[in-house]
Amino acid sequence: MSTPRERSLDATIALRREGYPFILRRRKRLGSDVFETRILLQPTMCVGGEEAAKLFYRTEYFRRDGASPSRVEKTLFGEGGVQGLDGERHLARKAMFMSLMGEERLADLNRRLRREWEFRAEAWALRGQVVLLDEVRPALCRAICAWSGVPLPESDLVRRTEDLSALIEAAGAVGPRHWKGRLARRRSERWIADLVRSVRSGTLAPPEGSPLEVIARYRSPKGEELDADIAAVEVLNILRPTVAVAYYLVYVALALHEHPEERVRLDEEDGRTRDERIVHFVQEVRRFYPFFPFAAAIVRKDFEWEGHRFPENRRVLLDLYGTNRDPSVWEDPDRFHPPRFRDRDPGLYALIPQGGGDHDSNHRCAGEFMTVEIMKGWVEFLSSGVDYDVFPQDLEIDPAVMPGRPASGFVIENVRLRREVSR
């Protein structure tokens, strides 16, 4: 079997024009879950679907070192972080992150966020209209910094929120938005590296077990501490993804608005608990709406799979968005339908908005647990803690804009808290 090839000399412009569905459209058109193309003038293989995801996370075939384009490392991920590691170094660093995701720790973060939502909703009630995307970002930034042991004076909240947001928006951008992200990356790393040095010198004492304390004190299996700049990258790998959850929170609000029957279903008795119904809703939001478009890896050595030859050192992109919308994996994939999760465990390779495989030994995002818990708390708040109105606005999600969001940012008005704010 020969691997289908994209006809264009280079698909970079098409990728930027089409955005999230770029790989899925070609998989359908070419009738193959594997095809070849060129992106940024570099030969690239694109794969998608559950079986291809299982292949992609086999570490004997693929490595992550050098897989992400430089423009992504210099904005979104940072250089030297866990995303670009392989083998024992990756496993050890990943274990450090997983140690921060305990049940009690996540419950503490959600308690902090619940207070944020209530306080902000009280202010929203006095302001008329608010753009939800702009409002949830600083709340997430304040809560995750406090949870992480990172000092954040109130006077710095806006600036730090803007910088963390710029890291997220710059990876898929060109021109001024990309360079804004690179400047934000340098500022953010200097900020956190100074804190790491303060922890090590004893002039700053974050709470024991907090991310700042754990990462600053981390030792590799060889007993080596992280360079302060690399430690800063890893602390930012806690802060930046949490601020990125703002997009999912807006998607939750959008889904509750566009599918009011699902809001009603949260309170219906169907043999499941309310928490289970909220989890189904959250998982469908993560499946249905765009987040990361794809993940990248490099072929370790020549091999064949399903008749396709994967050459050594070839970059491979796994279609995260398209696998979550794959009709061979999901029945009626373009329908928003949370009950699909009632009787189905999607496993490790079908629902992959934040990567596939297991969390401990693979490159599936350690922060996925945190994302789900934050979204669950937000669903609970929007559905039972507050009332608001949504007026006609442009809620279209342009698939070419990454990260995706409703054009209006989702504006709400006439906000009413259902109970007195916690003090």
Side-chain angles (χ1 to χ4, degrees):
M1 176 191 299
S2 62
T3 302
R5 185 181 298 273
E6 171 78 9
R7 290 191 297 270
S8 64
L9 293 176
D10 188 90
T12 305
I13 293 176
L15 172 58
R16 289 192 173 134
R17 182 178 64 245
E18 298 177 34
Y20 287 93
F22 169 84
I23 298 178
L24 180 59
R25 285 175 179 169
R26 282 153 184 78
R27 288 168 53 207
K28 291 179 177 178
R29 189 177 73 220
L30 297 170
S32 174
D33 284 339
V34 183
F35 67 88
E36 296 186 47
T37 186
R38 293 178 71 88
I39 296 175
L40 296 174
L41 303 177
Q42 181 175 343
T44 301
M45 298 185 74
C46 298
V47 303
E50 187 172 10
E51 294 306 311
K54 292 177 183 178
L55 170 71
F56 184 83
Y57 287 99
R58 291 181 64 175
T59 55
E60 70 268 32
Y61 290 145
F62 296 98
R63 60 180 170 85
R64 295 309 187 272
D65 182 20
S68 296
S70 175
R71 62 188 298 108
V72 175
E73 285 196 342
K74 292 181 183 298
T75 54
L76 184 67
F77 293 147
E79 297 178 288
V82 66
Q83 296 94 341
L85 300 181
D86 294 294
E88 291 301 318
R89 291 176 67 217
H90 171 257
L91 293 176
R93 197 86 63 86
K94 188 67 176 290
M96 174 189 71
F97 278 97
M98 294 302 297
S99 73
L100 302 170
M101 300 297 156
E103 186 175 335
E104 281 303 312
R105 296 277 304 151
L106 296 180
D108 176 58
L109 176 59
N110 251 344
R111 284 191 292 269
R112 294 174 186 272
L113 281 169
R114 180 69 186 212
R115 291 193 292 270
E116 285 285 339
W117 305 142
E118 291 177 342
F119 289 140
R120 286 185 177 271
E122 188 178 50
W124 298 342
L126 303 175
R127 287 173 47 194
Q129 296 182 352
V130 294
V131 180
L132 210 55
L133 181 58
D134 295 340
E135 294 294 322
V136 296
R137 282 169 165 166
L140 288 164
C141 183
R142 192 207 313 270
I144 193 60
C145 284
W147 183 83
S148 299
V150 172
L152 182 63
E154 188 65 23
S155 58
D156 288 349
L157 176 61
V158 171
R159 177 165 58 107
R160 300 305 185 191
T161 301
E162 289 178 349
D163 277 351
L164 292 171
S165 300
L167 302 183
I168 300 156
E169 296 185 345
V174 294
R177 195 156 63 107
H178 174 75
W179 288 102
K180 178 181 178 182
R182 292 181 73 149
L183 290 171
R185 166 61 64 179
R186 288 199 283 270
R187 281 195 300 268
S188 298
E189 288 186 7
R190 284 198 300 268
W191 165 44
I192 300 298
D194 286 343
L195 296 179
V196 169
R197 295 185 186 98
S198 296
V199 172
R200 291 173 177 174
S201 69
T203 58
L204 176 64
E208 184 178 355
S210 65
L212 178 59
E213 191 267 343
V214 168
I215 294 170
R217 305 290 186 199
Y218 170 79
R219 296 277 178 169
S220 74
K222 295 182 178 180
E224 301 166 337
E225 70 177 12
L226 294 176
D227 179 88
D229 292 332
I230 301 299
V233 168
E234 300 296 38
V235 173
L236 289 170
N237 275 332
I238 297 286
L239 307 186
R240 182 258 311 156
T242 306
V243 173
V245 175
Y247 295 96
Y248 270 143
L249 301 189
V250 172
Y251 290 149
V252 165
L254 180 62
L256 289 171
H257 171 66
E258 293 189 333
H259 305 280
E261 73 282 1
E262 299 301 337
R263 181 188 286 267
V264 174
R265 200 193 302 271
L266 292 174
D267 293 318
E268 289 181 347
E269 294 295 333
D270 63 353
R272 273 82 173 173
T273 65
R274 177 175 169 83
D275 186 68
E276 288 174 321
R277 292 191 293 273
I278 288 176
V279 169
H280 299 158
F281 184 89
V282 164
Q283 296 292 52
E284 182 70 344
V285 168
R286 296 175 68 236
R287 184 198 72 82
F288 187 81
Y289 292 98
F291 197 58
F292 288 127
F294 42 74
I298 300 291
V299 177
R300 286 187 181 275
K301 59 184 178 181
D302 287 8
F303 72 92
E304 286 195 7
W305 178 77
E306 300 290 332
H308 302 283
R309 177 176 173 270
F310 288 75
E312 184 178 359
N313 293 326
R314 182 63 50 87
R315 177 174 287 160
V316 179
L317 301 182
L318 172 64
D319 186 8
L320 302 180
Y321 172 82
T323 301
N324 293 332
R325 292 290 196 101
D326 191 330
S328 69
V329 177
W330 303 97
E331 182 179 353
D332 199 5
D334 295 327
R335 177 190 178 196
F336 185 85
H337 187 58
R340 74 174 74 242
F341 288 98
R342 285 188 305 196
D343 302 308
R344 174 179 179 176
D345 179 354
L348 300 177
Y349 301 98
L351 180 67
I352 56 171
Q354 293 171 265
D358 67 84
H359 293 89
D360 293 310
S361 63
N362 228 308
H363 278 79
R364 193 180 192 113
C365 178
E368 187 173 25
F369 296 106
M370 182 184 293
T371 299
V372 170
E373 289 303 312
I374 291 172
M375 292 175 70
K376 285 169 56 181
W378 180 244
V379 172
E380 186 66 56
F381 179 67
L382 289 188
S383 62
S384 65
V386 69
D387 294 307
Y388 54 90
D389 298 326
V390 181
F391 67 93
Q393 59 191 279
D394 186 358
L395 295 175
E396 182 179 358
I397 299 173
D398 184 346
V401 176
M402 296 185 284
R405 81 292 300 273
S408 66
F410 202 87
V411 182
I412 61 175
E413 61 183 359
N414 194 23
V415 176
R416 293 92 65 194
L417 269 171
R418 291 190 184 180
R419 61 182 179 82
E420 185 178 351
V421 174
S422 303
R423 296 295 181 185

